[in-house]
Amino acid sequence: MRLPPEEESRAQINIVPMIDVVFAVLTFFILVSLTLTRSQGLPVTLPEAATATTQTEAKLTLTITADNQLFLNGDEVQLSTLAADVKSRLAPGQPALVSIEADTAAEHGWVVAAMDALREIEGLRLGIATQSP
């Protein structure tokens, strides 16, 4: 007696699990990149102000830490070269806003000296970063 030949099953690749893994990894990297962009500043304790308003046009951020170190957009700068560093980062003829993030423990003299150095730049506006109470 002759038996009918068995049909060989065709090999298949199921890509649905691979697509699920790719989307999970993509979601992970999107969420991680969003948290990294939010924490762009240095860790300083900002003073509280009930009448503070939001400024969204800050081009540069000057951070003054509790031990009176100056950072311009995360790069350490010296007080003597602060005005030149800011001028080199600004486009000529464009109005700009420098946001000052001074720690509550920073010496008042350092904040005033930094503001005085920045006021030498024509057309530059200053803002002081605070947090709501």
Side-chain angles (χ1 to χ4, degrees), residues 25-99:
V25 170
L26 180 66
T27 303
F28 171 76
F29 282 114
I30 289 173
L31 292 175
V32 168
S33 68
L34 288 175
T35 60
L36 289 177
T37 56
R38 277 190 216 129
S39 61
Q40 66 184 1
L42 295 169
V44 292
T45 305
L46 296 176
E48 295 181 356
T51 60
T53 59
T54 303
Q55 298 288 328
T56 58
E57 60 182 284
K59 303 265 190 229
L60 297 173
T61 302
L62 176 67
T63 306
I64 304 173
T65 61
D67 55 349
N68 299 322
Q69 289 182 318
L70 300 174
F71 293 90
L72 187 61
N73 282 358
D75 300 326
E76 188 170 6
V77 294
Q78 300 299 320
L79 184 61
S80 58
T81 62
L82 179 61
D85 290 336
V86 170
K87 282 181 186 177
S88 68
R89 294 181 188 213
L90 294 177
Q94 295 253 333
L97 173 69
V98 174
S99 175

Coordinates of all heavy atoms in Angstrom, one line a residue, residues 25-99:
V25 N 12.2 49.2 22.8 CA 13.5 49.9 22.9 C 13.4 51.3 22.4 O 13.9 52.2 23.0 CB 14.5 49.1 22.0 CG1 15.8 49.9 21.9 CG2 14.8 47.7 22.7
L26 N 12.6 51.6 21.3 CA 12.4 53.0 20.9 C 11.8 53.8 21.9 O 12.2 55.0 22.2 CB 11.6 52.9 19.6 CG 11.4 54.3 18.9 CD1 12.7 54.9 18.5 CD2 10.4 54.1 17.8
T27 N 10.7 53.3 22.6 CA 10.0 54.0 23.6 C 11.0 54.3 24.8 O 11.0 55.4 25.3 CB 8.8 53.2 24.1 OG1 8.0 52.9 23.0 CG2 8.1 53.9 25.2
F28 N 11.8 53.4 25.1 CA 12.8 53.6 26.2 C 13.7 54.7 25.9 O 13.9 55.6 26.7 CB 13.6 52.3 26.5 CG 14.7 52.5 27.4 CD1 14.5 52.6 28.8 CD2 16.0 52.5 26.9 CE1 15.6 52.7 29.6 CE2 17.1 52.7 27.8 CZ 16.9 52.8 29.1
F29 N 14.3 54.7 24.7 CA 15.2 55.8 24.3 C 14.5 57.2 24.2 O 15.1 58.2 24.6 CB 15.9 55.5 23.1 CG 17.0 54.5 23.3 CD1 17.0 53.2 22.7 CD2 18.1 54.8 24.0 CE1 18.0 52.3 22.9 CE2 19.2 53.9 24.2 CZ 19.1 52.6 23.7
I30 N 13.3 57.2 23.8 CA 12.6 58.5 23.7 C 12.4 59.0 25.1 O 12.6 60.2 25.4 CB 11.2 58.3 23.0 CG1 11.5 58.1 21.5 CG2 10.3 59.5 23.2 CD1 10.3 57.8 20.7
L31 N 11.9 58.2 26.1 CA 11.7 58.6 27.4 C 13.0 59.1 28.1 O 13.0 60.1 28.8 CB 11.0 57.6 28.2 CG 9.5 57.3 27.8 CD1 9.0 56.1 28.6 CD2 8.7 58.5 28.0
V32 N 14.0 58.3 27.9 CA 15.3 58.7 28.5 C 15.8 60.0 27.9 O 16.3 60.9 28.7 CB 16.4 57.6 28.3 CG1 17.8 58.0 28.6 CG2 16.0 56.4 29.1
S33 N 15.7 60.2 26.6 CA 16.2 61.5 26.1 C 15.4 62.7 26.6 O 15.9 63.8 26.7 CB 16.2 61.4 24.5 OG 14.8 61.4 24.1
L34 N 14.1 62.5 26.8 CA 13.3 63.6 27.4 C 13.7 64.0 28.8 O 13.7 65.1 29.1 CB 11.8 63.2 27.4 CG 11.1 63.2 26.0 CD1 9.7 62.6 26.1 CD2 11.2 64.5 25.3
T35 N 14.1 63.0 29.6 CA 14.5 63.3 31.0 C 15.9 63.9 31.0 O 16.2 64.7 31.8 CB 14.5 62.1 31.9 OG1 15.4 61.1 31.3 CG2 13.1 61.5 32.0
L36 N 16.7 63.6 30.0 CA 18.0 64.2 29.9 C 18.0 65.7 29.5 O 18.8 66.5 30.0 CB 18.9 63.4 29.0 CG 19.4 62.0 29.4 CD1 20.2 61.4 28.3 CD2 20.2 62.1 30.7
T37 N 17.1 66.0 28.7 CA 17.0 67.4 28.2 C 16.4 68.3 29.3 O 16.7 69.5 29.3 CB 16.2 67.6 26.9 OG1 14.9 67.0 27.1 CG2 16.9 66.9 25.8
R38 N 15.6 67.8 30.2 CA 15.0 68.6 31.2 C 16.0 68.9 32.3 O 15.9 70.0 32.9 CB 13.8 67.8 31.9 CG 12.6 68.0 31.2 CD 11.4 67.4 32.0 NE 10.5 66.8 31.0 CZ 10.0 65.6 31.1 NH1 10.3 64.9 32.2 NH2 9.3 65.1 30.2
S39 N 17.0 68.1 32.6 CA 17.9 68.4 33.6 C 19.2 69.0 33.1 O 20.3 68.5 33.2 CB 18.3 67.1 34.4 OG 18.9 66.2 33.5
Q40 N 19.1 70.1 32.4 CA 20.2 70.8 31.8 C 21.0 71.7 32.7 O 22.1 72.0 32.5 CB 19.8 71.6 30.6 CG 18.9 72.7 30.9 CD 18.4 73.4 29.7 OE1 18.7 73.1 28.6 NE2 17.6 74.5 29.9
G41 N 20.4 72.1 33.8 CA 21.0 73.0 34.7 C 21.9 72.3 35.8 O 21.8 71.1 35.9
L42 N 22.6 73.1 36.5 CA 23.4 72.6 37.6 C 22.6 72.6 38.8 O 21.6 73.4 38.9 CB 24.6 73.6 37.7 CG 25.6 73.6 36.6 CD1 26.6 74.7 36.7 CD2 26.3 72.2 36.5
P43 N 22.9 71.8 39.8 CA 22.1 71.7 41.0 C 22.3 72.9 41.9 O 23.3 73.0 42.6 CB 22.6 70.4 41.7 CG 23.9 70.2 41.1 CD 24.0 70.8 39.8
V44 N 21.4 73.8 41.8 CA 21.4 75.0 42.7 C 20.0 75.1 43.4 O 19.0 74.7 42.8 CB 21.7 76.3 42.0 CG1 23.1 76.3 41.5 CG2 20.8 76.6 40.8
T45 N 20.0 75.7 44.5 CA 18.7 75.9 45.2 C 18.3 77.4 44.9 O 18.9 78.3 45.4 CB 18.9 75.7 46.8 OG1 19.4 74.4 47.0 CG2 17.6 75.9 47.5
L46 N 17.3 77.5 44.1 CA 16.8 78.8 43.7 C 16.0 79.5 44.8 O 15.3 78.8 45.6 CB 16.0 78.7 42.4 CG 16.7 78.2 41.2 CD1 15.7 78.1 40.0 CD2 17.8 79.2 40.8
P47 N 16.1 80.8 44.9 CA 15.2 81.5 45.9 C 13.8 81.5 45.5 O 13.5 81.3 44.3 CB 15.8 82.9 46.0 CG 16.5 83.1 44.6 CD 17.0 81.7 44.2
E48 N 12.9 81.7 46.5 CA 11.5 81.7 46.2 C 11.0 83.1 45.9 O 11.5 84.0 46.6 CB 10.7 81.1 47.3 CG 11.0 79.6 47.5 CD 10.2 79.0 48.7 OE1 9.4 79.8 49.3 OE2 10.2 77.8 48.8
A49 N 10.1 83.3 45.0 CA 9.5 84.6 44.7 C 8.0 84.4 44.3 O 7.7 83.6 43.4 CB 10.2 85.3 43.6
A50 N 7.1 85.0 45.0 CA 5.7 84.8 44.7 C 5.3 85.6 43.5 O 4.3 85.2 42.8 CB 4.9 85.3 45.9
T51 N 6.0 86.6 43.1 CA 5.6 87.5 42.0 C 6.4 87.2 40.7 O 6.4 88.0 39.8 CB 5.7 89.0 42.3 OG1 7.1 89.2 42.6 CG2 4.8 89.3 43.5
A52 N 7.0 86.0 40.7 CA 7.9 85.7 39.5 C 7.0 85.4 38.3 O 5.9 84.9 38.4 CB 8.7 84.5 39.8
T53 N 7.6 85.8 37.1 CA 6.9 85.6 35.8 C 7.8 84.7 35.0 O 9.0 84.7 35.1 CB 6.6 86.9 35.1 OG1 7.8 87.6 34.8 CG2 5.6 87.7 35.8
T54 N 7.2 84.0 34.1 CA 8.0 83.0 33.2 C 8.6 83.8 32.0 O 7.9 84.5 31.3 CB 7.1 81.9 32.8 OG1 6.5 81.3 33.9 CG2 7.9 80.9 32.0
Q55 N 9.9 83.5 31.8 CA 10.5 84.1 30.6 C 11.0 82.9 29.7 O 11.7 82.0 30.2 CB 11.8 84.9 31.0 CG 11.5 86.1 31.8 CD 10.8 87.2 31.0 OE1 11.1 87.3 29.8 NE2 10.0 87.9 31.6
T56 N 10.6 82.8 28.5 CA 10.9 81.6 27.7 C 12.0 81.9 26.7 O 12.4 81.0 26.0 CB 9.6 81.2 26.9 OG1 9.1 82.2 26.1 CG2 8.6 80.7 27.9
E57 N 12.5 83.1 26.6 CA 13.4 83.4 25.5 C 14.9 83.5 26.0 O 15.7 84.0 25.3 CB 13.0 84.8 24.9 CG 13.1 85.9 26.0 CD 12.7 87.3 25.4 OE1 13.5 87.9 24.7 OE2 11.5 87.7 25.6
A58 N 15.2 82.9 27.1 CA 16.6 82.9 27.6 C 17.5 82.1 26.6 O 17.3 81.0 26.3 CB 16.7 82.3 29.0
K59 N 18.5 82.8 26.2 CA 19.5 82.2 25.3 C 20.6 81.6 26.1 O 21.1 80.6 25.7 CB 20.0 83.3 24.3 CG 19.0 84.0 23.5 CD 18.8 83.3 22.2 CE 18.0 84.2 21.3 NZ 16.9 83.6 20.7
L60 N 21.0 82.3 27.1 CA 22.2 81.9 27.9 C 21.7 81.8 29.4 O 20.9 82.6 29.8 CB 23.3 82.9 27.8 CG 23.9 83.0 26.4 CD1 25.0 84.1 26.4 CD2 24.6 81.7 26.0
T61 N 22.3 80.9 30.1 CA 22.1 80.7 31.5 C 23.4 80.8 32.3 O 24.3 80.1 32.0 CB 21.4 79.4 31.8 OG1 20.2 79.2 31.0 CG2 21.1 79.2 33.3
L62 N 23.4 81.8 33.2 CA 24.6 81.9 34.1 C 24.2 81.3 35.4 O 23.3 81.8 36.1 CB 25.0 83.4 34.2 CG 26.1 83.7 35.2 CD1 27.4 83.1 34.7 CD2 26.2 85.2 35.5
T63 N 24.9 80.3 35.8 CA 24.7 79.7 37.1 C 25.7 80.0 38.1 O 26.9 79.9 37.8 CB 24.6 78.1 36.9 OG1 23.7 77.8 35.9 CG2 24.2 77.4 38.2
I64 N 25.3 80.4 39.3 CA 26.3 80.8 40.4 C 26.0 79.8 41.5 O 24.9 79.8 42.1 CB 26.1 82.2 40.9 CG1 26.3 83.2 39.7 CG2 27.1 82.5 42.0 CD1 25.9 84.6 40.0
T65 N 26.9 78.9 41.8 CA 26.7 77.8 42.7 C 26.9 78.4 44.2 O 27.3 79.5 44.4 CB 27.7 76.7 42.5 OG1 29.0 77.2 42.6 CG2 27.5 76.1 41.1
A66 N 26.7 77.5 45.1 CA 26.8 77.9 46.5 C 28.2 78.2 46.9 O 28.5 79.1 47.8 CB 26.3 76.7 47.4
D67 N 29.2 77.6 46.2 CA 30.6 78.0 46.5 C 31.2 79.0 45.5 O 32.4 79.1 45.3 CB 31.5 76.7 46.5 CG 31.4 75.9 45.2 OD1 30.5 76.2 44.4 OD2 32.2 75.0 45.1
N68 N 30.2 79.8 45.0 CA 30.5 81.0 44.1 C 31.3 80.7 42.8 O 32.1 81.5 42.4 CB 31.3 82.1 44.9 CG 30.5 82.5 46.1 OD1 29.3 82.7 46.0 ND2 31.1 82.7 47.2
Q69 N 31.0 79.5 42.2 CA 31.6 79.2 40.9 C 30.6 79.7 39.9 O 29.4 79.6 40.1 CB 31.8 77.7 40.8 CG 33.0 77.2 41.6 CD 33.2 75.7 41.4 OE1 32.2 75.0 41.3 NE2 34.5 75.3 41.3
L70 N 31.1 80.2 38.8 CA 30.3 80.7 37.7 C 30.3 79.7 36.5 O 31.4 79.2 36.1 CB 30.8 82.0 37.2 CG 30.8 83.2 38.2 CD1 31.5 84.4 37.6 CD2 29.5 83.5 38.7
F71 N 29.1 79.4 36.0 CA 29.0 78.5 34.9 C 28.1 79.1 33.8 O 27.0 79.6 34.1 CB 28.3 77.1 35.3 CG 29.2 76.3 36.2 CD1 29.2 76.5 37.5 CD2 30.1 75.4 35.6 CE1 30.0 75.7 38.4 CE2 31.0 74.7 36.4 CZ 30.9 74.8 37.8
L72 N 28.5 79.2 32.6 CA 27.8 79.8 31.5 C 27.3 78.6 30.6 O 28.1 78.0 29.9 CB 28.6 80.8 30.7 CG 27.9 81.6 29.6 CD1 26.8 82.4 30.2 CD2 28.9 82.5 28.9
N73 N 26.0 78.3 30.6 CA 25.5 77.2 29.9 C 26.2 75.9 30.2 O 26.5 75.1 29.4 CB 25.4 77.4 28.4 CG 24.3 78.3 28.0 OD1 23.5 78.7 28.8 ND2 24.2 78.6 26.7
G74 N 26.6 75.7 31.5 CA 27.3 74.5 31.9 C 28.8 74.5 31.9 O 29.4 73.6 32.4
D75 N 29.4 75.5 31.2 CA 30.8 75.6 31.1 C 31.3 76.6 32.1 O 30.8 77.7 32.2 CB 31.2 76.1 29.7 CG 30.8 75.2 28.6 OD1 30.7 73.9 28.9 OD2 30.4 75.6 27.5
E76 N 32.3 76.2 32.9 CA 32.9 77.1 33.9 C 33.6 78.3 33.3 O 34.3 78.2 32.4 CB 33.8 76.3 34.8 CG 34.3 77.1 36.1 CD 35.0 76.3 37.1 OE1 35.3 75.1 36.8 OE2 35.3 76.9 38.1
V77 N 33.3 79.5 33.9 CA 33.9 80.7 33.4 C 34.4 81.5 34.6 O 34.0 81.2 35.7 CB 32.9 81.6 32.6 CG1 32.5 80.9 31.3 CG2 31.7 81.9 33.4
Q78 N 35.3 82.4 34.3 CA 35.8 83.3 35.4 C 35.0 84.6 35.3 O 34.6 85.1 34.3 CB 37.3 83.5 35.2 CG 38.1 82.2 35.3 CD 38.0 81.5 36.6 OE1 37.9 82.1 37.6 NE2 37.9 80.2 36.5
L79 N 35.0 85.3 36.5 CA 34.3 86.6 36.5 C 35.0 87.6 35.6 O 34.3 88.4 35.0 CB 34.2 87.1 37.9 CG 33.4 88.4 38.2 CD1 32.0 88.2 37.7 CD2 33.5 88.8 39.6
S80 N 36.3 87.6 35.5 CA 37.0 88.5 34.7 C 36.8 88.4 33.2 O 36.9 89.4 32.5 CB 38.5 88.4 35.0 OG 39.0 87.1 34.7
T81 N 36.4 87.2 32.8 CA 36.2 87.0 31.3 C 34.7 86.8 31.0 O 34.4 86.4 29.9 CB 37.0 85.8 30.9 OG1 36.6 84.6 31.6 CG2 38.5 86.0 31.1
L82 N 33.8 87.0 32.0 CA 32.4 86.7 31.8 C 31.8 87.5 30.6 O 31.1 86.9 29.8 CB 31.6 87.0 33.1 CG 30.1 86.7 33.0 CD1 29.9 85.3 32.7 CD2 29.5 87.1 34.3
A83 N 32.1 88.8 30.6 CA 31.5 89.6 29.5 C 32.0 89.2 28.1 O 31.2 89.1 27.2 CB 31.8 91.1 29.7
A84 N 33.2 88.8 28.0 CA 33.8 88.4 26.7 C 33.2 87.0 26.3 O 32.9 86.8 25.1 CB 35.3 88.3 26.8
D85 N 33.0 86.1 27.3 CA 32.5 84.8 27.0 C 31.0 85.0 26.5 O 30.6 84.3 25.6 CB 32.5 83.9 28.2 CG 33.9 83.5 28.5 OD1 34.8 83.5 27.6 OD2 34.2 83.2 29.7
V86 N 30.2 85.9 27.1 CA 28.9 86.0 26.7 C 28.8 86.7 25.3 O 28.0 86.2 24.5 CB 28.1 86.9 27.8 CG1 26.7 87.3 27.3 CG2 27.9 86.1 29.1
K87 N 29.6 87.7 25.1 CA 29.6 88.3 23.8 C 30.0 87.3 22.7 O 29.4 87.4 21.6 CB 30.7 89.5 23.8 CG 30.2 90.7 24.4 CD 31.3 91.8 24.3 CE 30.9 93.0 25.1 NZ 32.0 94.0 25.1
S88 N 30.9 86.4 23.0 CA 31.3 85.4 21.9 C 30.2 84.4 21.6 O 30.2 83.9 20.5 CB 32.6 84.7 22.4 OG 32.3 83.8 23.5
R89 N 29.2 84.2 22.5 CA 28.2 83.3 22.3 C 26.9 83.9 21.7 O 26.0 83.2 21.4 CB 27.8 82.6 23.6 CG 29.0 81.7 24.1 CD 28.6 81.0 25.4 NE 29.7 80.3 25.9 CZ 29.7 79.2 26.6 NH1 28.5 78.6 26.8 NH2 30.8 78.7 27.1
L90 N 26.9 85.2 21.6 CA 25.7 85.9 21.1 C 25.9 86.3 19.7 O 27.0 86.7 19.3 CB 25.4 87.2 22.0 CG 25.0 86.9 23.4 CD1 24.8 88.3 24.1 CD2 23.7 86.1 23.5
A91 N 24.8 86.3 18.9 CA 24.8 86.8 17.6 C 24.8 88.3 17.6 O 24.1 88.9 18.4 CB 23.6 86.3 16.8
P92 N 25.7 88.9 16.8 CA 25.7 90.4 16.8 C 24.4 91.0 16.3 O 23.8 90.6 15.4 CB 26.9 90.7 15.8 CG 27.1 89.5 15.0 CD 26.6 88.3 15.8
G93 N 24.0 92.1 17.1 CA 22.8 92.8 16.7 C 21.5 92.2 17.2 O 20.5 92.7 17.0
Q94 N 21.6 91.0 17.8 CA 20.4 90.3 18.2 C 20.2 90.5 19.7 O 21.1 90.4 20.5 CB 20.5 88.8 18.0 CG 20.6 88.4 16.5 CD 19.3 87.8 16.1 OE1 18.6 87.2 16.8 NE2 19.0 87.9 14.8
P95 N 18.9 90.9 20.1 CA 18.7 91.1 21.5 C 18.7 89.7 22.2 O 18.3 88.7 21.6 CB 17.3 91.7 21.6 CG 16.7 91.4 20.3 CD 17.8 91.2 19.3
A96 N 19.2 89.7 23.4 CA 19.3 88.4 24.1 C 19.0 88.6 25.6 O 19.1 89.7 26.1 CB 20.7 87.8 24.0
L97 N 18.6 87.5 26.2 CA 18.3 87.5 27.6 C 19.3 86.5 28.3 O 19.4 85.3 27.8 CB 16.9 87.1 27.9 CG 16.4 86.9 29.3 CD1 16.4 88.2 30.1 CD2 15.1 86.2 29.3
V98 N 19.9 86.9 29.4 CA 20.7 86.0 30.2 C 20.0 85.7 31.5 O 19.6 86.7 32.2 CB 22.1 86.6 30.5 CG1 22.9 85.7 31.4 CG2 22.9 86.8 29.2
S99 N 19.7 84.5 31.7 CA 19.0 84.1 32.9 C 20.0 83.7 34.0 O 20.9 82.9 33.8 CB 18.1 82.9 32.7 OG 17.5 82.4 33.8

